[in-house]
Amino acid sequence: MREARFDKKGSLIRWTESAGHSPARVYVHGLGAASAPYHAHIAARPELAGRKSLFLDLPGHGLSDRPADFGYALEDHADAVAAALDAAAVQQADLVAHSMGGSVAIVLADRRPDLVARLVLTEANLDAHPPGTAGSSRIAAYEEEHFVGEGHARVLEQAGPLWAATMRLADPVALHRSATGLVRGTDPTLRATLMRLPMDRVYLQGGLSGDLAGHDALVASGVRVVVVPEAGHNVMLDNPAAFAEAVAGKS
């Protein structure tokens, strides 16, 4: 495990790292998750073996620190990831990022293009104010104090067993502020930013998740959209073989 400071108080973002050749693959998890449970089995597949791999836990999540005075906006998370990659001497990496992690990756690629050569985004949030059924919207519907006091336990009860297993490791304040930042979105939008980024961009959509909003415009901008059959939001868990093929650039 490695770590790097991400704020003025010396709070630490942590990651596990496997040796291999460059360019590195950097795996970034979604809201209330952690990187290794979602991606370690993917990095170990034969078609992806041999590359240096980093499994990052965003601030407030997993093994990383959870400072109470941190903002946890998408931009804050992106800056923390940049601090980790700088400390790891990683440049021009492949970012393999899920859900909110994909949103963070878009912000990072825009701010620090020296760090990112390729984006592989799995059902990343591209628009503000997702449907009320989305986990981020359910969390952000609470006031912060109410969420910390009661809402966190309720959301854990409603979450599926996999999400609950990692969400209980996330700090409730960090979880709420991250969800609020995700619902708030960015200006310009994440979608607009993704469409104008110059690097290779792949967007994975689970076939069971329904149609991807704005599909044609994304494709016209150069984003390669891959619909993965027999998969929902957690594509890497539902169909790991197809997911690995997309990460390897074979689909």
Side-chain angles (χ1 to χ4, degrees):
M1 185 171 62
R2 298 190 60 188
E3 58 192 25
R5 294 182 179 183
F6 66 84
D7 66 8
K8 293 180 180 178
K9 292 188 174 181
S11 302
L12 297 171
I13 182 171
R14 296 185 175 90
W15 66 96
T16 52
E17 185 175 313
S18 63
H21 62 80
S22 295
R25 290 194 182 102
V26 179
Y27 295 87
V28 187
H29 61 81
L31 179 68
S35 282
Y38 281 78
H39 291 117
H41 67 294
I42 296 296
R45 290 183 64 92
E47 58 265 53
L48 298 177
R51 289 274 288 276
K52 182 176 182 178
S53 298
L54 285 72
F55 305 95
L56 280 167
D57 286 346
L58 295 170
H61 292 71
L63 299 174
S64 291
D65 285 352
R66 46 204 69 201
D69 57 351
F70 192 64
Y72 297 100
L74 293 172
E75 296 83 358
D76 298 323
H77 283 301
D79 288 346
V81 173
L85 299 189
D86 284 339
V90 166
Q91 291 186 327
Q92 294 297 291
D94 291 1
L95 257 63
V96 183
H98 180 223
S99 197
M100 184 187 79
S103 305
V104 172
I106 293 169
V107 175
L108 177 65
D110 186 43
R111 289 185 165 202
R112 292 287 307 274
D114 58 307
L115 298 178
V116 184
R118 183 171 183 250
L119 289 172
V120 181
L121 309 175
T122 307
E123 296 214 356
N125 301 77
L126 301 180
D127 304 301
H129 307 293
T133 54
S136 56
S137 294
R138 296 202 307 271
I139 293 170
Y142 290 90
E143 295 295 330
E144 183 175 302
E145 184 176 352
H146 188 202
F147 180 76
V148 173
E150 301 177 18
H152 184 236
R154 291 179 182 173
V155 170
L156 276 175
E157 290 176 356
Q158 297 166 357
L162 175 66
W163 196 25
T166 55
M167 190 192 299
R168 66 170 53 97
L169 302 177
D171 178 75
V173 170
L175 189 59
H176 185 269
R177 291 180 187 172
S178 296
T180 300
L182 191 58
V183 169
R184 182 172 60 247
T186 60
D187 184 18
T189 66
L190 292 163
R191 181 182 296 273
T193 300
L194 175 62
M195 291 172 66
R196 64 172 170 75
L197 286 173
M199 67 278 297
D200 184 30
R201 296 151 295 156
V202 181
Y203 190 101
L204 305 184
Q205 175 80 353
L208 302 178
S209 296
D211 295 335
L212 173 61
H215 172 281
D216 292 348
L218 287 171
V219 172
S221 73
V223 177
R224 186 158 59 90
V225 176
V226 179
V227 178
V228 181
E230 301 179 11
H233 186 60
N234 297 323
V235 176
M236 71 294 295
L237 303 177
D238 296 337
N239 194 337
F243 184 86
E245 283 187 4
V247 173
K250 296 180 180 179
S251 64

